[in-house]
Amino acid sequence: MSSQTITLIVSPRGKPIKTLPQESEIPRNAPATELYNYLAAASGTSVHRLRVTKGSDGQLVPNRADVSINQTGLMDGSKVFVKDLGPQISWQTVFVIEYLGPIIIHPLVYLLRPYLYTSHNKLLPFPAPSSLQTLSLLLVSLHFVKREYETLFIHRFSAATMPLRNIFKNSAHYWIIGGVNMAYWIYRPNAPTAKPMNVYFALLGVLLFFTGEVGNFSSHLTLRNLRSSGGKERGIPQGRWFELVTCPNYMFETMAWVGVLLVTRDFATVIFVLVSVTMMCIWAKKKERNYKREFGDKYKNKRYTILPGIY
């Protein structure tokens, strides 16, 4: 055996994996993807279903071509654990399905108002949608159509897939909270949006919405340019807003949804915004930790991750 080749001890984590080899010989300077490809081929499992961790400290061995076996800290005789993550689905497909919910649900509820809100006095004609209800529909639809466009043509995902079971949990936020719940309360005949429009609130809401959407799109373009097409390399995002907070894309998305909230003035929208912002705060804090861990002194620590002066 060449001195440049090491032998790794391989063990399954969790349920057994059929035909998983007990050892793997691999060059020290080989990319980590070579280890994943070998284990996938030997076990007859999709490479996307496998998660490899170091036996010494439990750290993930990344499935990346730009990281060598030597860089992971694995040595001759090191033990690695291999976990089968189960059936997978691409991140792009998950995003498309998630965002499709509000795009379908909001126009349907808007158009079917006379048939859904049956408590309305039958002796009176069913009221047409108000200006605010129509504006709410346009803003919500524009947001999610933009998200679909970004999913298909802008985003470059660091991971190819996620567990299939997660799609139900992820989609519930958009289909139920942002879809059915928001739409039902926004378009009802006695909703706050059915009342006369406060022009100043509406204009401020629209201004915040479009400012947030443009800033969010610009931030996504910056993040896109950090990674080559099909690549998994990572970089430190640069730019004015990335100097202010860790995740300006989340900051601008929050701004856009505050704009929607000013238009709808509805408690269902408050719930969706609060849940969304809470999730983004958690993701932003995690991204800040990852930047520090991966880039060390090259990364300038941020005091705020998403909301300047707040969080």
Side-chain angles (χ1 to χ4, degrees), residues 45-94:
T45 305
S46 167
V47 68
H48 300 302
R49 292 180 58 146
L50 300 181
R51 176 184 174 89
V52 181
T53 54
K54 294 160 59 178
S56 58
D57 55 15
Q59 285 191 351
L60 175 70
V61 177
N63 184 13
R64 288 170 53 182
D66 60 334
V67 176
S68 70
I69 294 296
N70 193 51
Q71 288 174 319
T72 67
L74 292 172
M75 301 177 292
D76 188 43
S78 292
K79 187 172 186 177
V80 294
F81 288 103
V82 182
K83 182 178 178 61
D84 182 356
L85 299 174
Q88 301 286 297
I89 185 171
S90 75
W91 273 94
Q92 186 180 67
T93 301
V94 171

Side-chain angles (χ1 to χ4, degrees), residues 246-247 250 280-288 305-306:
T246 308
C247 299
Y250 296 159
M280 287 188 287
C281 284
I282 294 172
W283 297 336
K285 186 66 74 173
K286 182 178 180 181
K287 285 180 181 292
E288 176 71 11
T305 58
I306 175 173

Side-chain angles (χ1 to χ4, degrees), residues 149-156 217 220-221 223-225:
Y149 175 82
E150 291 173 330
T151 297
L152 295 173
F153 302 108
I154 302 298
H155 291 327
R156 290 173 175 169
F217 184 78
H220 284 158
L221 287 177
L223 294 171
R224 177 184 191 271
N225 293 332

Side-chain angles (χ1 to χ4, degrees), residues 157-216:
F157 300 95
S158 59
T161 64
M162 67 182 293
L164 178 62
R165 63 182 180 275
N166 287 359
I167 192 172
F168 303 103
K169 176 185 65 177
N170 289 27
S171 295
H173 176 65
Y174 295 100
W175 283 71
I176 298 176
I177 303 178
V180 174
N181 190 53
M182 269 184 63
Y184 178 82
W185 294 104
I186 288 174
Y187 307 119
R188 59 195 172 97
N190 59 343
T193 47
K195 298 175 182 178
M197 178 188 297
N198 182 315
V199 176
Y200 298 106
F201 269 97
L203 287 177
L204 178 59
V206 170
L207 177 62
L208 286 175
F209 175 81
F210 281 103
T211 302
E213 293 295 336
V214 171
N216 177 263

